Amino acid sequence: MLIFNNKARLATVLSDYINVKAPIGFVPTMGALHDGHLSLIRRSAGENEVTVVSIFVNPTQFNNPEDLEKYPRTLDADIEKIKTVSDKIIVFAPTVYEMYDGNTASAHFSFDGLENQMEGAFRPGHFDGVGTIVKKLFEIVQPTNAYFGEKDFQQLQIVKKLVEKEGMPINVIGCPISREANGLAMSSRNERLSGTDREKAAGIYKILKEAQHRSKDQDFASVKQFVHNAFAALPGFTMDYFEIAAEDDLKPAVSEGKKKYRAFIAVFLSNVRLIDNISLN
Ligand code: PAF
């Protein structure tokens, strides 16, 4: 398996594929890989001539220094997991210096308002950090297809907007959320939950499923009220937000119209921040 931490060397190997227009698949990650990541990697490996997986904990997208410090870093185990999909996958695991050349700062982006709500409102600067690193990675890898999980649905829409605005010829492909057997959305942050909290966290999906069910015959305000009451009755959770928004512009929706809607949630459980979402129609 080829593993690079130098962007120029990676670009040299990839130029052989670019020159003959062979499709390059790309799965950007921050490591601590779980089955959700592996399903993206498997899909990319099946749809492209070569797949690149980046493993890089990007400092500029963390608004909370403790979250950055505690983010799990498990490179050796990640490489072993990737090998179970295929040993032909290329891993790119750069240092912060390699990606930022000594200037660890974000560029500023406008994503036509997609960045203003939910994660953008609660994690100031987060999407500038995501935009900065994804643009840098896209410029190095020059993928044909890039795969992102729908758990970070707002990030997925923002990356699609980034590619549109920068005129990058990349297909950004959203992939369904992978869940544990108890319904908890797979996330690298789940590793920081105790066994008991991991079971408790399954309540997030149960409440989202009930919200989905209620949205069939209740207005969105009543659904929101139900979710707030449900979490207030569950000890240990602190809510950042629960929002119902249109999938295309992510603007909060007050009542159902002709669009596709999703319910989005961010909660803390024992200081671990968990997000999830569910389609409503
Ligand atoms: O979703 C993630 O893991 C990160 O936000 C990404 C896309 C790898 C950028 O750092």
Side-chain angles (χ1 to χ4, degrees):
M1 173 181 267
L2 290 175
I3 303 169
F4 294 94
N5 45 34
N6 179 289
K7 56 190 175 201
R9 285 202 201 106
L10 171 67
T12 304
V13 168
L14 292 177
S15 65
D16 289 345
Y17 294 89
I18 294 167
N19 289 341
V20 296
K21 297 192 165 38
I24 298 174
F26 181 40
V27 183
T29 81
M30 295 204 300
L33 301 185
H34 49 66
D35 285 352
H37 293 115
L38 296 185
S39 74
L40 305 188
I41 298 170
R42 217 169 280 120
R43 179 160 173 196
S44 175
E47 294 179 355
N48 299 280
E49 190 70 26
V50 66
T51 287
V52 179
V53 176
S54 63
I55 297 178
F56 179 67
V57 181
N58 173 36
T60 63
Q61 71 188 72
F62 285 82
N63 56 315
N64 175 346
E66 193 190 336
D67 195 21
L68 171 61
E69 188 199 319
K70 296 218 166 123
Y71 203 86
R73 288 157 172 91
T74 56
L75 183 60
D76 292 343
D78 291 343
I79 288 168
E80 290 310 310
K81 286 181 187 168
I82 295 170
K83 280 185 191 159
T84 67
V85 177
S86 158
D87 59 8
K88 296 208 174 64
I89 285 159
I90 297 177
V91 174
F92 180 47
T95 59
V96 172
Y97 193 87
E98 182 69 10
M99 291 311 294
Y100 283 97
D101 291 324
N103 178 24
T104 316
S106 295
H108 181 66
F109 292 90
S110 160
F111 297 114
D112 295 348
L114 291 172
E115 72 277 30
N116 293 336
Q117 34 267 332
M118 299 188 288
E119 292 302 284
F122 281 82
R123 302 183 65 191
H126 171 65
F127 286 124
D128 278 340
V130 170
T132 302
I133 195 66
V134 170
K135 186 175 169 209
K136 282 176 188 282
L137 290 166
F138 279 177
E139 283 166 354
I140 298 164
V141 177
Q142 298 185 45
T144 320
N145 300 304
Y147 298 82
F148 290 81
E150 285 184 347
K151 182 174 78 66
D152 298 287
F153 193 86
Q154 190 173 10
Q155 168 174 277
L156 168 66
Q157 299 300 64
I158 278 180
V159 173
K160 285 183 179 166
K161 183 63 75 180
L162 172 80
V163 159
E164 178 194 314
K165 287 201 147 189
E166 300 285 334
M168 293 172 143
I170 299 170
N171 303 314
V172 177
I173 298 167
C175 304
I177 300 174
S178 297
R179 297 186 179 279
E180 313 269 359
N182 67 9
L184 174 63
M186 287 187 185
S187 163
S188 306
R189 287 191 172 83
N190 294 352
E191 287 194 14
R192 290 175 50 204
L193 294 171
S194 67
T196 325
D197 278 348
R198 225 165 156 132
E199 274 316 304
K200 224 191 234 179
I204 300 168
Y205 185 54
K206 286 202 189 83
I207 293 171
L208 280 184
K209 285 291 282 180
E210 181 61 23
Q212 182 190 51
H213 177 66
R214 287 176 183 239
S215 72
K216 307 279 174 239
D217 52 17
Q218 286 182 15
D219 60 30
F220 289 164
S222 310
V223 175
K224 282 185 182 178
Q225 194 55 57
F226 156 74
V227 171
H228 281 277
N229 294 345
F231 275 101
L234 274 186
F237 287 96
T238 313
M239 192 181 288
D240 252 0
Y241 61 80
F242 173 75
E243 194 55 89
I244 296 179
E247 285 193 357
D248 57 357
D249 59 15
L250 298 180
K251 293 223 169 79
V254 274
S255 60
E256 189 159 346
K258 290 198 173 119
K259 292 185 163 192
K260 293 269 301 159
Y261 299 95
R262 247 172 214 263
F264 297 85
I265 191 155
V267 288
F268 282 94
L269 177 60
S270 305
N271 283 331
V272 182
R273 192 170 184 278
L274 302 167
I275 63 169
D276 201 348
N277 67 80
I278 196 165
S279 156
L280 297 184
N281 55 350

